[in-house]
Amino acid sequence: MSEEIRTLLQTYQRALNDANIDLVRSVYADDAIVIGQPFPTATGIEAILALYADFLSKLNFNVQFDLLEMELRDDLGFIRTRSNGTIVPKGQKPAGSEGNREIFIVKKIEGVWKFYRYIFNTEVAT
């Protein structure tokens, strides 16, 4: 099970870094919800794809996700991650790196783990 989750997370990382909307579609459940700073809540796959299409058209990603915690039961679970890297407007050079912290609720749908709920915000330096 954990290998499936690692593959799901790697696919999502690749989707962002390659600006690949088809990969974004592949990792989310049809009834998923994305709650992320500073974006509006996106409910359902069409709203999620519209959100990603918008920011992937404007931003270049070079991020890596680190899996920090995972709890899976039957067909529902969660993973907690931290991401680091750069997110910059297209055509600009990164001035430094940034980090986010994420919670993904994952759901097994027809035998395949998908993102069901996704919440993220900026890592706060302490």
Side-chain angles (χ1 to χ4, degrees):
M1 251 191 305
S2 66
E3 196 55 42
E4 294 172 55
I5 296 298
R6 289 180 195 284
T7 299
L8 178 66
L9 196 56
Q10 289 168 352
T11 300
Y12 180 62
Q13 177 179 299
R14 201 166 80 243
L16 293 177
N17 291 338
D18 295 348
N20 186 324
I21 203 73
D22 291 328
L23 286 179
V24 171
R25 177 183 289 279
S26 76
V27 298
Y28 278 103
D30 288 344
D31 57 348
I33 298 174
V34 174
I35 302 168
Q37 169 192 324
F39 303 105
T41 299
T43 302
I45 192 65
E46 295 309 318
I48 290 168
L49 293 175
L51 176 69
Y52 278 83
D54 180 53
F55 71 72
L56 289 175
S57 72
K58 298 173 184 170
L59 302 170
N60 284 328
F61 284 75
N62 184 8
V63 295
Q64 177 179 331
F65 287 83
D66 295 315
L67 183 59
L68 303 176
E69 184 180 6
M70 177 171 37
E71 184 83 30
L72 302 173
R73 299 270 194 272
D74 299 324
D75 65 349
L76 199 62
F78 77 90
I79 59 174
R80 184 173 62 91
T81 63
R82 178 173 291 129
S83 60
N84 291 291
T86 59
I87 304 170
V88 296
K90 290 200 181 283
Q92 293 187 20
K93 298 281 184 207
S97 64
E98 64 179 74
N100 286 294
R101 51 195 173 177
E102 302 93 9
I103 296 282
F104 295 88
I105 306 298
V106 293
K107 186 175 185 180
K108 192 172 259 191
I109 300 168
E110 297 178 4
V112 178
W113 288 103
K114 301 274 188 171
F115 296 148
Y116 184 55
R117 303 289 186 263
Y118 176 32
I119 302 165
F120 68 91
N121 66 3
T122 304
E123 184 73 62
V124 177
T126 56

